mmCIF file of all heavy atoms in Angstrom:
data_model
loop_
_atom_site.group_PDB
_atom_site.id
_atom_site.type_symbol
_atom_site.label_atom_id
_atom_site.label_comp_id
_atom_site.label_asym_id
_atom_site.label_seq_id
_atom_site.Cartn_x
_atom_site.Cartn_y
_atom_site.Cartn_z
ATOM 1 N N HIS X 234 52.908 -55.098 42.080
ATOM 2 C CA HIS X 234 52.029 -54.017 42.507
ATOM 3 C C HIS X 234 50.583 -54.321 42.104
ATOM 4 O O HIS X 234 50.326 -54.831 41.009
ATOM 5 C CB HIS X 234 52.455 -52.683 41.891
ATOM 6 C CG HIS X 234 53.743 -52.153 42.439
ATOM 7 N ND1 HIS X 234 53.804 -51.350 43.556
ATOM 8 C CD2 HIS X 234 55.030 -52.333 42.027
ATOM 9 C CE1 HIS X 234 55.067 -51.034 43.796
ATOM 10 N NE2 HIS X 234 55.826 -51.621 42.893
ATOM 11 N N ASN X 235 49.665 -53.994 42.987
ATOM 12 C CA ASN X 235 48.242 -54.109 42.688
ATOM 13 C C ASN X 235 47.832 -52.858 41.920
ATOM 14 O O ASN X 235 47.703 -51.774 42.502
ATOM 15 C CB ASN X 235 47.430 -54.260 43.976
ATOM 16 C CG ASN X 235 45.985 -54.603 43.713
ATOM 17 O OD1 ASN X 235 45.360 -54.069 42.805
ATOM 18 N ND2 ASN X 235 45.423 -55.489 44.517
ATOM 19 N N VAL X 236 47.641 -53.007 40.618
ATOM 20 C CA VAL X 236 47.392 -51.846 39.763
ATOM 21 C C VAL X 236 46.100 -51.145 40.156
ATOM 22 O O VAL X 236 46.047 -49.913 40.278
ATOM 23 C CB VAL X 236 47.357 -52.276 38.282
ATOM 24 C CG1 VAL X 236 46.971 -51.098 37.391
ATOM 25 C CG2 VAL X 236 48.712 -52.828 37.858
ATOM 26 N N THR X 237 45.045 -51.904 40.385
ATOM 27 C CA THR X 237 43.761 -51.302 40.732
ATOM 28 C C THR X 237 43.842 -50.558 42.050
ATOM 29 O O THR X 237 43.347 -49.429 42.176
ATOM 30 C CB THR X 237 42.676 -52.383 40.808
ATOM 31 O OG1 THR X 237 42.596 -53.051 39.546
ATOM 32 C CG2 THR X 237 41.329 -51.763 41.133
ATOM 33 N N ARG X 238 44.478 -51.166 43.040
ATOM 34 C CA ARG X 238 44.587 -50.504 44.334
ATOM 35 C C ARG X 238 45.448 -49.252 44.253
ATOM 36 O O ARG X 238 45.127 -48.218 44.858
ATOM 37 C CB ARG X 238 45.164 -51.473 45.358
ATOM 38 C CG ARG X 238 45.255 -50.899 46.775
ATOM 39 C CD ARG X 238 45.697 -51.958 47.763
ATOM 40 N NE ARG X 238 47.021 -52.484 47.389
ATOM 41 C CZ ARG X 238 47.562 -53.549 47.970
ATOM 42 N NH1 ARG X 238 46.901 -54.216 48.905
ATOM 43 N NH2 ARG X 238 48.770 -53.954 47.594
ATOM 44 N N SER X 239 46.547 -49.321 43.498
ATOM 45 C CA SER X 239 47.414 -48.149 43.364
ATOM 46 C C SER X 239 46.685 -46.989 42.700
ATOM 47 O O SER X 239 46.756 -45.839 43.163
ATOM 48 C CB SER X 239 48.660 -48.520 42.553
ATOM 49 O OG SER X 239 49.424 -49.501 43.203
ATOM 50 N N ARG X 240 45.957 -47.303 41.609
ATOM 51 C CA ARG X 240 45.252 -46.238 40.913
ATOM 52 C C ARG X 240 44.085 -45.713 41.756
ATOM 53 O O ARG X 240 43.787 -44.512 41.738
ATOM 54 C CB ARG X 240 44.766 -46.735 39.552
ATOM 55 C CG ARG X 240 44.204 -45.633 38.683
ATOM 56 C CD ARG X 240 44.089 -46.076 37.239
ATOM 57 N NE ARG X 240 45.383 -46.042 36.563
ATOM 58 C CZ ARG X 240 45.934 -47.069 35.969
ATOM 59 N NH1 ARG X 240 45.323 -48.239 35.967
ATOM 60 N NH2 ARG X 240 47.094 -46.958 35.363
ATOM 61 N N THR X 241 43.422 -46.562 42.513
ATOM 62 C CA THR X 241 42.333 -46.113 43.390
ATOM 63 C C THR X 241 42.861 -45.174 44.462
ATOM 64 O O THR X 241 42.264 -44.130 44.752
ATOM 65 C CB THR X 241 41.635 -47.316 44.034
ATOM 66 O OG1 THR X 241 41.123 -48.174 43.011
ATOM 67 C CG2 THR X 241 40.488 -46.861 44.925
ATOM 68 N N THR X 242 44.002 -45.539 45.053
ATOM 69 C CA THR X 242 44.604 -44.669 46.065
ATOM 70 C C THR X 242 44.984 -43.318 45.478
ATOM 71 O O THR X 242 44.763 -42.264 46.089
ATOM 72 C CB THR X 242 45.844 -45.344 46.660
ATOM 73 O OG1 THR X 242 45.480 -46.615 47.216
ATOM 74 C CG2 THR X 242 46.465 -44.488 47.750
ATOM 75 N N GLY X 243 45.534 -43.339 44.267
ATOM 76 C CA GLY X 243 45.926 -42.087 43.631
ATOM 77 C C GLY X 243 44.748 -41.190 43.310
ATOM 78 O O GLY X 243 44.788 -39.976 43.556
ATOM 79 N N VAL X 244 43.683 -41.774 42.753
ATOM 80 C CA VAL X 244 42.498 -40.977 42.430
ATOM 81 C C VAL X 244 41.854 -40.427 43.704
ATOM 82 O O VAL X 244 41.385 -39.277 43.732
ATOM 83 C CB VAL X 244 41.498 -41.821 41.615
ATOM 84 C CG1 VAL X 244 40.182 -41.073 41.439
ATOM 85 C CG2 VAL X 244 42.085 -42.155 40.252
ATOM 86 N N ALA X 245 41.845 -41.216 44.775
ATOM 87 C CA ALA X 245 41.307 -40.726 46.048
ATOM 88 C C ALA X 245 42.129 -39.552 46.565
ATOM 89 O O ALA X 245 41.577 -38.547 47.050
ATOM 90 C CB ALA X 245 41.280 -41.858 47.069
ATOM 91 N N ALA X 246 43.463 -39.653 46.474
ATOM 92 C CA ALA X 246 44.314 -38.550 46.917
ATOM 93 C C ALA X 246 44.074 -37.300 46.081
ATOM 94 O O ALA X 246 43.991 -36.177 46.615
ATOM 95 C CB ALA X 246 45.785 -38.968 46.836
ATOM 96 N N ILE X 247 43.947 -37.469 44.759
ATOM 97 C CA ILE X 247 43.688 -36.324 43.888
ATOM 98 C C ILE X 247 42.362 -35.661 44.240
ATOM 99 O O ILE X 247 42.263 -34.433 44.337
ATOM 100 C CB ILE X 247 43.694 -36.780 42.416
ATOM 101 C CG1 ILE X 247 45.099 -37.204 41.998
ATOM 102 C CG2 ILE X 247 43.199 -35.672 41.500
ATOM 103 C CD1 ILE X 247 45.156 -37.897 40.661
ATOM 104 N N ALA X 248 41.325 -36.481 44.454
ATOM 105 C CA ALA X 248 40.009 -35.935 44.762
ATOM 106 C C ALA X 248 40.029 -35.163 46.075
ATOM 107 O O ALA X 248 39.462 -34.065 46.179
ATOM 108 C CB ALA X 248 38.989 -37.061 44.820
ATOM 109 N N VAL X 249 40.679 -35.717 47.082
ATOM 110 C CA VAL X 249 40.717 -35.050 48.386
ATOM 111 C C VAL X 249 41.522 -33.760 48.304
ATOM 112 O O VAL X 249 41.106 -32.718 48.846
ATOM 113 C CB VAL X 249 41.308 -36.003 49.448
ATOM 114 C CG1 VAL X 249 41.524 -35.274 50.758
ATOM 115 C CG2 VAL X 249 40.383 -37.191 49.664
ATOM 116 N N LEU X 250 42.666 -33.789 47.631
ATOM 117 C CA LEU X 250 43.516 -32.599 47.547
ATOM 118 C C LEU X 250 42.848 -31.480 46.760
ATOM 119 O O LEU X 250 42.772 -30.329 47.228
ATOM 120 C CB LEU X 250 44.855 -32.964 46.905
ATOM 121 C CG LEU X 250 45.808 -33.809 47.747
ATOM 122 C CD1 LEU X 250 46.975 -34.311 46.908
ATOM 123 C CD2 LEU X 250 46.323 -33.016 48.934
ATOM 124 N N VAL X 251 42.364 -31.797 45.567
ATOM 125 C CA VAL X 251 41.750 -30.760 44.735
ATOM 126 C C VAL X 251 40.435 -30.306 45.344
ATOM 127 O O VAL X 251 40.110 -29.109 45.324
ATOM 128 C CB VAL X 251 41.557 -31.263 43.296
ATOM 129 C CG1 VAL X 251 40.878 -30.210 42.444
ATOM 130 C CG2 VAL X 251 42.895 -31.628 42.692
ATOM 131 N N GLY X 252 39.653 -31.238 45.888
ATOM 132 C CA GLY X 252 38.405 -30.847 46.535
ATOM 133 C C GLY X 252 38.642 -29.896 47.690
ATOM 134 O O GLY X 252 37.908 -28.919 47.877
ATOM 135 N N SER X 253 39.666 -30.149 48.482
ATOM 136 C CA SER X 253 39.983 -29.262 49.600
ATOM 137 C C SER X 253 40.407 -27.883 49.115
ATOM 138 O O SER X 253 39.966 -26.853 49.643
ATOM 139 C CB SER X 253 41.091 -29.884 50.452
ATOM 140 O OG SER X 253 40.726 -31.156 50.925
ATOM 141 N N ALA X 254 41.293 -27.845 48.104
ATOM 142 C CA ALA X 254 41.773 -26.564 47.594
ATOM 143 C C ALA X 254 40.648 -25.759 46.957
ATOM 144 O O ALA X 254 40.526 -24.540 47.169
ATOM 145 C CB ALA X 254 42.909 -26.793 46.589
ATOM 146 N N VAL X 255 39.811 -26.425 46.174
ATOM 147 C CA VAL X 255 38.698 -25.735 45.515
ATOM 148 C C VAL X 255 37.692 -25.246 46.543
ATOM 149 O O VAL X 255 37.122 -24.156 46.414
ATOM 150 C CB VAL X 255 38.042 -26.665 44.476
ATOM 151 C CG1 VAL X 255 36.751 -26.070 43.948
ATOM 152 C CG2 VAL X 255 38.997 -26.921 43.323
ATOM 153 N N ALA X 256 37.466 -26.041 47.585
ATOM 154 C CA ALA X 256 36.550 -25.608 48.633
ATOM 155 C C ALA X 256 37.074 -24.384 49.368
ATOM 156 O O ALA X 256 36.299 -23.516 49.781
ATOM 157 C CB ALA X 256 36.322 -26.752 49.622
ATOM 158 N N LEU X 257 38.387 -24.278 49.523
ATOM 159 C CA LEU X 257 38.963 -23.145 50.235
ATOM 160 C C LEU X 257 38.962 -21.868 49.404
ATOM 161 O O LEU X 257 38.587 -20.807 49.905
ATOM 162 C CB LEU X 257 40.407 -23.470 50.633
ATOM 163 C CG LEU X 257 40.643 -24.150 51.972
ATOM 164 C CD1 LEU X 257 42.117 -24.479 52.133
ATOM 165 C CD2 LEU X 257 40.164 -23.287 53.121
ATOM 166 N N CYS X 258 39.373 -21.952 48.146
ATOM 167 C CA CYS X 258 39.626 -20.710 47.409
ATOM 168 C C CYS X 258 39.143 -20.737 45.978
ATOM 169 O O CYS X 258 39.525 -19.862 45.193
ATOM 170 C CB CYS X 258 41.125 -20.399 47.432
ATOM 171 S SG CYS X 258 42.176 -21.778 47.015
ATOM 172 N N GLY X 259 38.318 -21.694 45.586
ATOM 173 C CA GLY X 259 37.815 -21.717 44.240
ATOM 174 C C GLY X 259 38.801 -22.365 43.284
ATOM 175 O O GLY X 259 39.887 -22.792 43.669
ATOM 176 N N PRO X 260 38.458 -22.427 42.002
ATOM 177 C CA PRO X 260 39.312 -23.095 41.014
ATOM 178 C C PRO X 260 40.472 -22.200 40.578
ATOM 179 O O PRO X 260 40.341 -21.370 39.688
ATOM 180 C CB PRO X 260 38.354 -23.373 39.856
ATOM 181 C CG PRO X 260 37.317 -22.301 39.968
ATOM 182 C CD PRO X 260 37.174 -21.981 41.423
ATOM 183 N N ILE X 261 41.628 -22.383 41.196
ATOM 184 C CA ILE X 261 42.822 -21.630 40.830
ATOM 185 C C ILE X 261 43.506 -22.342 39.671
ATOM 186 O O ILE X 261 43.837 -23.520 39.761
ATOM 187 C CB ILE X 261 43.774 -21.500 42.031
ATOM 188 C CG1 ILE X 261 43.100 -20.686 43.139
ATOM 189 C CG2 ILE X 261 45.077 -20.842 41.622
ATOM 190 C CD1 ILE X 261 43.964 -20.501 44.364
ATOM 191 N N SER X 262 43.727 -21.613 38.596
ATOM 192 C CA SER X 262 44.242 -22.226 37.368
ATOM 193 C C SER X 262 45.766 -22.301 37.368
ATOM 194 O O SER X 262 46.443 -21.554 38.081
ATOM 195 C CB SER X 262 43.785 -21.417 36.149
ATOM 196 O OG SER X 262 42.376 -21.320 36.110
ATOM 197 N N PHE X 263 46.282 -23.204 36.556
ATOM 198 C CA PHE X 263 47.682 -23.316 36.153
ATOM 199 C C PHE X 263 48.616 -23.847 37.237
ATOM 200 O O PHE X 263 49.759 -24.188 36.931
ATOM 201 C CB PHE X 263 48.232 -21.966 35.647
ATOM 202 C CG PHE X 263 47.729 -21.605 34.294
ATOM 203 C CD1 PHE X 263 46.741 -20.662 34.140
ATOM 204 C CD2 PHE X 263 48.242 -22.222 33.169
ATOM 205 C CE1 PHE X 263 46.263 -20.333 32.888
ATOM 206 C CE2 PHE X 263 47.768 -21.892 31.910
ATOM 207 C CZ PHE X 263 46.787 -20.948 31.764
ATOM 208 N N VAL X 264 48.187 -23.922 38.493
ATOM 209 C CA VAL X 264 49.088 -24.452 39.516
ATOM 210 C C VAL X 264 49.334 -25.938 39.279
ATOM 211 O O VAL X 264 50.477 -26.402 39.185
ATOM 212 C CB VAL X 264 48.531 -24.208 40.927
ATOM 213 C CG1 VAL X 264 49.460 -24.805 41.977
ATOM 214 C CG2 VAL X 264 48.354 -22.725 41.180
ATOM 215 N N GLY X 265 48.249 -26.700 39.174
ATOM 216 C CA GLY X 265 48.392 -28.126 38.943
ATOM 217 C C GLY X 265 48.906 -28.468 37.569
ATOM 218 O O GLY X 265 49.331 -29.603 37.330
ATOM 219 N N LEU X 266 48.910 -27.515 36.652
ATOM 220 C CA LEU X 266 49.360 -27.762 35.283
ATOM 221 C C LEU X 266 50.844 -27.468 35.106
ATOM 222 O O LEU X 266 51.585 -28.239 34.491
ATOM 223 C CB LEU X 266 48.537 -26.912 34.314
ATOM 224 C CG LEU X 266 48.746 -27.143 32.822
ATOM 225 C CD1 LEU X 266 48.354 -28.558 32.439
ATOM 226 C CD2 LEU X 266 47.949 -26.132 32.020
ATOM 227 N N VAL X 267 51.319 -26.346 35.654
ATOM 228 C CA VAL X 267 52.688 -25.892 35.422
ATOM 229 C C VAL X 267 53.654 -26.425 36.471
ATOM 230 O O VAL X 267 54.788 -26.806 36.152
ATOM 231 C CB VAL X 267 52.725 -24.347 35.391
ATOM 232 C CG1 VAL X 267 54.159 -23.842 35.312
ATOM 233 C CG2 VAL X 267 51.913 -23.815 34.227
ATOM 234 N N VAL X 268 53.219 -26.460 37.735
ATOM 235 C CA VAL X 268 54.120 -26.821 38.830
ATOM 236 C C VAL X 268 54.790 -28.180 38.632
ATOM 237 O O VAL X 268 56.001 -28.315 38.867
ATOM 238 C CB VAL X 268 53.364 -26.753 40.170
ATOM 239 C CG1 VAL X 268 54.106 -27.509 41.268
ATOM 240 C CG2 VAL X 268 53.168 -25.300 40.585
ATOM 241 N N PRO X 269 54.072 -29.247 38.221
ATOM 242 C CA PRO X 269 54.763 -30.535 38.053
ATOM 243 C C PRO X 269 55.917 -30.495 37.058
ATOM 244 O O PRO X 269 56.932 -31.170 37.252
ATOM 245 C CB PRO X 269 53.641 -31.470 37.565
ATOM 246 C CG PRO X 269 52.392 -30.871 38.103
ATOM 247 C CD PRO X 269 52.613 -29.398 38.032
ATOM 248 N N HIS X 270 55.800 -29.693 35.995
ATOM 249 C CA HIS X 270 56.882 -29.600 35.018
ATOM 250 C C HIS X 270 58.095 -28.898 35.626
ATOM 251 O O HIS X 270 59.240 -29.302 35.389
ATOM 252 C CB HIS X 270 56.409 -28.856 33.779
ATOM 253 C CG HIS X 270 55.399 -29.612 32.980
ATOM 254 N ND1 HIS X 270 55.743 -30.626 32.111
ATOM 255 C CD2 HIS X 270 54.044 -29.531 32.936
ATOM 256 C CE1 HIS X 270 54.642 -31.130 31.553
ATOM 257 N NE2 HIS X 270 53.606 -30.476 32.037
ATOM 258 N N VAL X 271 57.850 -27.845 36.400
ATOM 259 C CA VAL X 271 58.961 -27.152 37.062
ATOM 260 C C VAL X 271 59.628 -28.078 38.069
ATOM 261 O O VAL X 271 60.864 -28.175 38.137
ATOM 262 C CB VAL X 271 58.451 -25.871 37.751
ATOM 263 C CG1 VAL X 271 59.587 -25.168 38.492
ATOM 264 C CG2 VAL X 271 57.815 -24.933 36.737
ATOM 265 N N ALA X 272 58.819 -28.779 38.866
ATOM 266 C CA ALA X 272 59.380 -29.687 39.864
ATOM 267 C C ALA X 272 60.133 -30.836 39.210
ATOM 268 O O ALA X 272 61.210 -31.244 39.680
ATOM 269 C CB ALA X 272 58.259 -30.226 40.757
ATOM 270 N N ARG X 273 59.609 -31.363 38.100
ATOM 271 C CA ARG X 273 60.257 -32.482 37.421
ATOM 272 C C ARG X 273 61.615 -32.075 36.840
ATOM 273 O O ARG X 273 62.531 -32.892 36.744
ATOM 274 C CB ARG X 273 59.346 -33.011 36.316
ATOM 275 C CG ARG X 273 59.773 -34.363 35.755
ATOM 276 C CD ARG X 273 58.789 -34.856 34.716
ATOM 277 N NE ARG X 273 57.498 -35.172 35.305
ATOM 278 C CZ ARG X 273 56.398 -34.446 35.121
ATOM 279 N NH1 ARG X 273 56.438 -33.363 34.356
ATOM 280 N NH2 ARG X 273 55.265 -34.778 35.686
ATOM 281 N N TYR X 274 61.746 -30.816 36.452
ATOM 282 C CA TYR X 274 63.020 -30.342 35.911
ATOM 283 C C TYR X 274 64.135 -30.451 36.951
ATOM 284 O O TYR X 274 65.298 -30.730 36.614
ATOM 285 C CB TYR X 274 62.869 -28.892 35.446
ATOM 286 C CG TYR X 274 64.126 -28.273 34.892
ATOM 287 C CD1 TYR X 274 64.553 -28.553 33.591
ATOM 288 C CD2 TYR X 274 64.904 -27.429 35.671
ATOM 289 C CE1 TYR X 274 65.709 -27.986 33.088
ATOM 290 C CE2 TYR X 274 66.067 -26.856 35.175
ATOM 291 C CZ TYR X 274 66.457 -27.140 33.884
ATOM 292 O OH TYR X 274 67.613 -26.584 33.389
ATOM 293 N N PHE X 275 63.813 -30.234 38.230
ATOM 294 C CA PHE X 275 64.826 -30.264 39.282
ATOM 295 C C PHE X 275 64.914 -31.623 39.986
ATOM 296 O O PHE X 275 65.986 -32.002 40.453
ATOM 297 C CB PHE X 275 64.531 -29.178 40.331
ATOM 298 C CG PHE X 275 64.661 -27.777 39.811
ATOM 299 C CD1 PHE X 275 63.539 -27.055 39.440
ATOM 300 C CD2 PHE X 275 65.907 -27.189 39.674
ATOM 301 C CE1 PHE X 275 63.656 -25.764 38.950
ATOM 302 C CE2 PHE X 275 66.037 -25.897 39.189
ATOM 303 C CZ PHE X 275 64.900 -25.184 38.826
ATOM 304 N N SER X 276 63.817 -32.334 40.069
ATOM 305 C CA SER X 276 63.810 -33.581 40.839
ATOM 306 C C SER X 276 64.010 -34.818 39.986
ATOM 307 O O SER X 276 64.405 -35.866 40.500
ATOM 308 C CB SER X 276 62.487 -33.710 41.597
ATOM 309 O OG SER X 276 61.406 -33.924 40.701
ATOM 310 N N GLY X 277 63.700 -34.734 38.690
ATOM 311 C CA GLY X 277 63.744 -35.922 37.855
ATOM 312 C C GLY X 277 62.410 -36.646 37.874
ATOM 313 O O GLY X 277 61.455 -36.207 38.532
#
């Protein structure tokens, strides 16, 4: 795996996703913090 390319793609995806959500409705707290733990409990 190309580590630099993988991390660049991930940071770009994070920026686009969070930027879009924040642009739509402002900084909504706790969704990005709590949801991954709940999802990881069921998905592994």
